[in-house]
Amino acid sequence: MAGTGLWDDEYDVVVAGSGAGAMTGALTAASHGLRTAVLEKTSVLGGTSAYSGAAVWLPGTGVQERAGVGDSAESARTYLRALLGEDADGRQEAFLATAPEVADFLERDPAIEFEWRPFPDYFAAPGRMDMGRSFVPLDLPAERLGDLASLVRPPVDRDRAGRGHAAAPLSQGRALIGRLLLALTNTGNATVRTGTRLRALVVEDGRVAGVEAETADGPVRIRARRGVLLAAGGFEGNGAMRAEHGVPGSAAWSMAPAGANTGDPILAAVAAGAAVDLMDQAWWCPGVEDEKGGGCFTLGFRGGLVVDSTGRRFANESLPYDRMGREMAAAPERVPAYVVFDSRHGGALPAISIPSLPSSAWVRADTLGELAEKLGLPADALTAAVERFNGFARDGVDADFHRGEDPYDLFFADRSGNAGPNPCLVPVDRPPYHAARLVLSDLGTKGGLRTDTEGRVLDGGSRPIAGLYAAGNSSASFAGRVYPGPGVPIGSAMVFAYRAVKDIVKIGDS
Ligand SMILES: Cc1cc2nc3c(=O)[nH]c(=O)nc-3n(C[C@H](O)[C@H](O)[C@H](O)COP(=O)(O)OP(=O)(O)OC[C@H]3O[C@@H](n4cnc5c(N)ncnc54)[C@H](O)[C@@H]3O)c2cc1C
């Protein structure tokens, strides 16, 4: 935390980070005529949000109404209450009340268009939408962004391989970031500064008055006349912080862009007196391991079975990915785990992995015994697990873990005739056999700065720190230890960034 001094630059609102929450906050500020700066540590915009599928869980908006899917704030409230319990700090209600307003605000901008897509909510609980309530941005032709397109982070497969942009429309997370960037640029009130890493907050008279940042040209002090919004991801990429707070998994297995989310803004706020919460939590997922030891987000299993290092199954493989990740985190012998599958799909992984890996990435063997030996697993246990599983596939009932009994399981099921009576139970009986190593990956940590309904960062006495706001994975999630449905990370980041800036605007007007 730095003291008073000269400023190198001055804005009304300074936003740290450039994911979906940051860009929504910046757009809200700039649309209200506030001079706004977006500070992004890396050379490109969008962070993990750009890698994402950009499913946005904002219930009860005009988007679902257009699609005629029967979603409502009431059913979402029922669902959230069932999963999260009482709304002790009011953030569930704040979220529900603001979700339609955010969608409406964004869609009023000619640069932004959404459509509902089916993707089931993640829990069988009252208020669930079996085909989901999240929506996505429409693809964005790169020409609409012009030179700005090169500012958006490339898709994860190209980015990890060190390849830049492809000449293709921006889709999913890149479409969301691209559309927000276009809208933000069109306001004429915003400056986007890449290569600018927030490292400290400047506090004057008990109020956050600006930030200190590092750039290639040296440190800069940037004044924020009205407020600072920290929406700069979690600390998933910081091994020391993960260890300190006991976050299962590892920085190497996380899906965040390399070097991006190391928690510096969280630490800067803590140095200014902020309190933190949920610091051992993440949005988890299984990840098939790539050749460099990284994790590739794996979901939508439509075949195979998953065993632990004792060769036994331990969960319904078709569980929503955060729930499967939590199953993995529950016992040390489950990390790594192994997806065991046969050759019916030509040796392709019977699941979606992001990025996808070639079949050469898997261990292959002609018999289960040989496969077990190659993996270092007990052959008897693995063979017994596969035989038992194949029996379930014949009967159509997973007596151990109930795979195939939930709409989410069925959403990804193999409908091509490989399965028997239960489309989620595909026998594993066509050699050669394959196994992929599954590590505990994550889409980001979800513990961070404690905030209130307005996204105001709270101190240890639950008092707001004047001038300081947080959203997205820089803040402790309103969803606590639960991942309710597709799009909650991004949807909640957008809502609380929007509410934060509305609070900044309101204070300025009063
Ligand atoms: C493949 C994949 C698919 C996903 N699909 C979905 C989905 O469909 N829906 C959904 O809701 N979630 C999805 N997620 C999860 C979601 O993308 C993230 O949880 C969410 O985007 C995090 O948003 P954020 O703004 O907190 O962080 P990010 O989007 O990661 O943005 C943080 C930014 O802050 C920058 N930054 C960090 N430190 C500093 C600093 N000191 N100064 C300045 N800048 C800094 C980083 O470089 C980064 O650009 C997915 C994730 C992955 C990997």
Side-chain angles (χ1 to χ4, degrees):
M1 185 181 17
T4 314
L6 291 176
W7 300 104
D8 297 297
D9 221 331
E10 190 167 324
Y11 297 88
D12 295 316
V13 175
V14 171
V15 178
S18 62
M23 297 297 277
T24 300
L27 176 60
T28 310
S31 301
H32 282 83
L34 300 180
R35 278 199 72 226
T36 304
V38 172
L39 311 183
E40 166 55 48
K41 166 183 178 178
T42 67
S43 59
V44 282
L45 303 176
T48 318
S49 304
Y51 284 174
S52 78
V56 180
W57 204 85
L58 294 178
T61 76
V63 185
Q64 294 93 346
E65 199 179 314
R66 280 202 304 272
V69 293
D71 180 34
S72 68
E74 290 69 38
S75 67
R77 175 179 297 110
T78 304
Y79 185 64
L80 288 180
R81 288 286 193 284
L83 297 182
L84 310 180
E86 276 316 299
D87 185 20
D89 64 4
R91 285 193 295 161
Q92 288 177 39
E93 280 309 310
F95 173 78
L96 291 166
T98 312
E101 194 178 320
V102 172
D104 192 43
F105 163 71
L106 294 175
E107 284 209 311
R108 274 203 306 273
D109 194 296
I112 300 176
E113 283 179 272
F114 294 115
E115 74 179 13
W116 173 83
R117 290 268 170 83
F119 198 155
D121 281 335
Y122 294 165
F123 289 86
R128 176 195 215 178
M129 296 270 298
D130 284 352
M131 274 303 112
R133 44 173 49 103
S134 55
F135 54 79
V136 295
L138 301 190
D139 286 1
L140 177 67
E143 311 79 71
R144 276 190 70 190
L145 268 177
D147 292 345
L148 292 174
S150 63
L151 269 182
V152 180
R153 183 173 285 284
V156 58
D157 53 336
R158 297 185 68 89
D159 209 24
R160 280 198 181 174
R163 286 147 71 216
H165 300 269
L170 286 79
S171 65
Q172 302 186 331
R174 301 181 71 240
L176 182 59
I177 297 302
R179 287 180 177 280
L180 289 166
L181 176 61
L182 189 57
L184 180 66
T185 307
N186 289 343
T187 65
N189 289 328
T191 302
V192 174
R193 298 168 70 149
T194 55
T196 306
R197 181 180 82 90
L198 180 145
R199 68 169 187 204
L201 297 169
V202 182
V203 179
E204 290 179 352
D205 302 326
R207 166 184 183 82
V208 171
V211 308
E212 276 189 7
E214 276 167 11
T215 72
D217 300 325
V220 288
R221 287 164 60 89
I222 304 173
R223 184 169 176 216
R225 283 186 291 257
R226 305 277 286 270
V228 171
L229 171 61
L230 303 178
F235 58 91
E236 56 272 18
N238 184 328
M241 267 180 96
R242 289 183 80 115
E244 181 188 344
H245 297 287
V247 183
S250 95
W253 295 337
S254 179
M255 287 299 296
N261 296 343
T262 50
D264 348 337
I266 297 175
L267 296 175
V270 167
V276 291
D277 202 5
L278 297 173
M279 292 297 274
D280 60 350
Q281 291 296 299
W283 312 98
W284 277 292
C285 58
V288 288
E289 197 175 36
D290 66 21
E291 72 286 357
K292 292 185 188 147
C296 304
F297 176 16
T298 306
L299 72 164
F301 285 91
R302 56 184 179 277
L305 65 155
V306 174
V307 298
D308 64 17
S309 62
T310 72
R312 294 181 182 84
R313 278 181 87 210
F314 57 89
N316 164 10
E317 296 80 355
S318 298
L319 278 175
Y321 44 91
D322 178 68
R323 295 176 63 187
M324 186 61 174
R326 285 170 190 272
E327 290 288 347
M328 291 176 71
E333 67 272 17
R334 297 177 181 179
V335 183
Y338 301 88
V339 196
V340 176
F341 53 103
D342 66 10
S343 288
R344 69 185 62 234
H345 295 291
L349 186 77
I352 302 163
S353 96
I354 306 169
S356 63
L357 295 178
S359 328
S360 57
W362 328 134
V363 174
R364 183 188 140 119
D366 288 330
T367 64
L368 287 170
E370 191 190 333
L371 190 72
E373 195 184 313
K374 285 187 173 173
L375 299 173
L377 304 182
D380 291 355
L382 179 65
T383 306
V386 173
E387 280 171 2
R388 186 170 169 79
F389 180 82
N390 288 344
F392 293 162
R394 267 191 310 276
D395 300 345
V397 178
D398 175 3
D400 291 340
F401 300 107
H402 306 285
R403 186 170 176 185
E405 294 177 17
D406 187 272
Y408 183 90
D409 303 2
L410 293 164
F411 186 70
F412 291 102
D414 184 339
R415 309 280 182 186
S416 62
N418 276 303
N422 179 334
C424 295
L425 299 174
V426 178
V428 176
D429 58 5
R430 289 196 199 160
Y433 297 100
H434 305 264
R437 225 169 104 100
L438 264 194
V439 294
L440 179 55
S441 182
D442 61 67
L443 311 180
T445 49
K446 62 175 348 191
L449 302 168
R450 276 194 61 215
T451 52
D452 69 5
T453 53
E454 313 316 307
R456 298 183 298 183
V457 174
L458 303 176
D459 68 13
S462 296
R463 290 172 302 259
I465 298 174
L468 187 60
Y469 298 80
N473 292 346
S474 297
S475 62
S477 173
F478 93 110
R481 294 164 193 276
V482 182
Y483 195 151
V488 170
I490 288 180
S492 56
M494 290 165 80
V495 161
F496 288 106
Y498 177 86
R499 286 186 71 92
V501 173
K502 283 289 195 180
D503 193 65
I504 291 172
V505 170
K506 190 176 78 195
I507 292 171
D509 290 346
S510 61

